[in-house]
């Protein structure tokens, strides 16, 4: 075999060995790339899960949050998370640089969320403290209100007792029907006048000065004897007709009073009644009969 042939065989052998080496390297590189792709895909899936959890966590944080300022900031961060999640879903698994960027963004988002959680916890503690203070103040207010209400009732009762004690009182009420000769009338048809007397009792707590006394004479049918329908006075938020009005000067001492009624109406037998009023209060009543 010639040297030329031997050299050719060596050259071919070297070329075959080189091709085998290149083929092996290509196969090894392809295997490595496949493994890297699997790693990137797994990392991408993990990132997607992290972003999804972040979006859900922002929903949970906003669920019972009453602070509008923080709620708005959380909403903005949630929008940012959703935008980055959409970007991640469109990124190819082989784009290592983009996946790395989104992973770094996730780290930043995590720090921001930790900050917001701390603020919300602090706000919740403050709100709880304020609620306790409000509850304490409300309880104290209710206690004070009840005390004030009790005091008002006691004052009202005391005022009523004082007013009652200060009222005038008419006792020893009497009625004498008179005939035209100013004698006591025996029969109703002879009555031309009523003499009505009573005593205003002593009362040192009553206000002194001029007082107005109203006398109502009521017939058996409850019709009131009056000279004019416009002759009225106020009693318990009503306007009542009176028969006689008398002005007196009260000085706190016992004071006898006599008033007169000229009969111009038709009278008939039955039970009559005299009611005496002063200062919007009924101070005495007396029934009498005519036959």
């Amino acid at each position: 075999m010639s040297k030329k042939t031997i050299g050719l065989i060596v050259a071919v052998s070297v070329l075959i060995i080189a091709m085998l080496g290149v083929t092996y390297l290509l196969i090894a590189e392809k295997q490595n790339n496949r493994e890297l792709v699997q790693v990137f895909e797994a990392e991408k899936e993990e990132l997607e899960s992290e972003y999804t959890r972040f979006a859900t966590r922002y929903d949970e944080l906003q669920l019972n949050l009453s602070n509008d300022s923080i709620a708005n900031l959380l909403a903005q961060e949630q929008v940012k998370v959703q935008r980055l999640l959409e970007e991640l879903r469109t990124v190819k698994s082989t784009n290592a640089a983009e996946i790395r960027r989104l992973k770094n963004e996730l780290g930043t988002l995590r720090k921001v969320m930790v900050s917001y959680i701390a603020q919300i916890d602090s706000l919740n503690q403050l709100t709880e403290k304020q609620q306790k203070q409000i509850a304490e103040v409300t309880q104290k207010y209710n206690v004070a209100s009840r005390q004030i209400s009790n005091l008002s009732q006691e004052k009202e009762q005391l005022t009523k007792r004082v007013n009652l004690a200060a009222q005038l009182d008419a006792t020893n009420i009497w009625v004498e029907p008179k005939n035209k000769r100013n004698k006591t009338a025996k029969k109703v048809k002879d009555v031309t006048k009523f003499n009505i007397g009573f005593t205003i009792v002593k009362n040192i707590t009553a206000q002194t000065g001029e007082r107005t006394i109203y006398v109502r004479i009521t017939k058996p049918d409850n019709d009131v004897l009056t000279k004019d329908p416009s002759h009225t006075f106020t009693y318990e938020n009503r306007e009542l007709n009176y028969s006689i009005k008398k002005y007196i000067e009260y000085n706190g001492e016992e004071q006898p009073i006599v008033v007169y009624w000229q009969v111009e109406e038709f009278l008939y037998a039955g039970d009559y009644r005299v009611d005496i009023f002063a200062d919007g209060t009924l101070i005495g009543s007396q029934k009498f009969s005519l036959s």
Side-chain angles (χ1 to χ4, degrees):
M1 185 179 297
S2 64
K3 291 183 179 179
K4 183 177 182 181
T5 301
I6 295 172
L8 180 60
I9 291 173
V10 172
V12 170
S13 298
V14 171
L15 179 60
I16 291 171
I17 293 171
M19 289 178 64
L20 290 174
V22 170
T23 300
Y24 174 79
L25 291 175
L26 288 174
I27 293 172
E29 180 69 21
K30 187 175 182 180
Q31 181 64 29
N32 289 337
N33 287 341
R34 187 179 295 111
E35 292 175 357
L36 286 174
V37 168
Q38 290 176 351
V39 171
F40 291 152
E41 286 178 349
E43 189 173 3
K44 179 182 176 182
E45 289 177 2
E46 184 178 352
L47 278 176
E48 286 185 14
S49 298
E50 286 287 335
Y51 273 109
T52 302
R53 284 197 295 271
F54 262 67
T56 302
R57 183 57 174 153
Y58 277 117
D59 283 331
E60 294 172 352
L61 290 175
Q62 294 181 78
L63 189 60
N64 297 316
L65 186 62
S66 59
N67 187 289
D68 292 338
S69 298
I70 296 181
N72 290 334
L73 293 174
L74 287 176
Q76 293 174 12
E77 288 298 316
Q78 187 176 26
V79 170
K80 184 176 180 181
V81 169
Q82 292 171 343
R83 176 176 56 79
L84 291 173
L85 179 58
E86 291 300 321
E87 290 183 16
L88 178 61
R89 286 171 177 169
T90 59
V91 171
K92 291 183 178 181
S93 299
T94 56
N95 193 338
E98 190 64 14
I99 291 176
R100 191 178 300 110
R101 180 184 70 81
L102 293 171
K103 189 173 183 179
N104 291 336
E105 289 279 3
L106 183 63
T108 302
L109 291 174
R110 185 176 288 106
K111 293 179 181 178
V112 172
M113 177 173 282
V114 169
S115 172
Y116 282 136
I117 290 174
Q119 292 182 51
I120 293 171
D121 287 342
S122 176
L123 182 62
N124 289 338
Q125 291 176 5
L126 179 61
T127 301
E128 184 178 354
K129 181 179 179 181
Q130 290 174 338
Q131 289 176 345
K132 289 181 179 179
Q133 291 175 343
I134 290 172
E136 292 175 358
V137 171
T138 301
Q139 184 179 7
K140 291 179 181 179
Y141 172 79
N142 291 336
V143 171
S145 296
R146 286 194 293 269
Q147 292 175 344
I148 292 172
S149 178
N150 292 336
L151 288 174
S152 298
Q153 292 177 0
E154 292 176 3
K155 180 181 178 182
E156 183 178 355
Q157 293 174 356
L158 179 60
T159 300
K160 287 181 179 178
R161 288 196 292 268
V162 171
N163 291 339
L164 185 63
Q167 290 176 3
L168 298 183
D169 188 23
T171 60
N172 303 323
I173 302 171
W174 52 266
V175 180
E176 290 184 356
K178 298 290 185 178
N179 59 25
K180 61 183 178 180
R181 293 188 299 275
N182 204 31
K183 300 294 184 179
T184 301
K186 300 297 184 181
K187 295 193 177 289
V188 64
K189 65 182 180 64
D190 297 328
V191 177
T192 60
K193 182 175 68 170
F194 290 119
N195 291 357
I196 303 169
F198 52 90
T199 300
I200 302 296
V201 300
K202 179 179 180 179
N203 190 341
I204 60 174
T205 63
Q207 183 179 357
T208 59
E210 186 179 272
R211 314 294 277 275
T212 304
I213 306 295
Y214 296 97
V215 178
R216 278 167 55 96
I217 306 171
T218 306
K219 297 192 294 184
D221 62 358
N222 289 323
D223 190 20
V224 177
L225 299 181
T226 183
K227 300 302 182 185
D228 189 332
S230 65
H231 290 172
T232 62
F233 68 100
T234 302
Y235 174 68
E236 293 184 348
N237 298 320
R238 295 181 296 160
E239 293 298 317
L240 301 180
N241 289 110
Y242 64 82
S243 305
I244 305 166
K245 180 166 69 172
K246 174 82 172 175
Y247 296 104
I248 66 170
E249 189 68 29
Y250 185 67
N251 60 6
E253 299 295 328
E254 183 176 283
Q255 186 173 348
I257 306 292
V258 178
V259 294
Y260 307 93
W261 176 260
Q262 296 296 328
V263 176
E264 299 173 353
E265 304 83 4
F266 172 75
L267 300 181
Y268 49 90
D271 293 328
Y272 289 71
R273 189 177 77 251
V274 170
D275 295 314
I276 304 169
F277 297 83
D279 303 324
T281 304
L282 177 64
I283 63 173
S285 294
Q286 181 66 47
K287 290 183 177 180
F288 66 98
S289 298
L290 295 177
S291 56

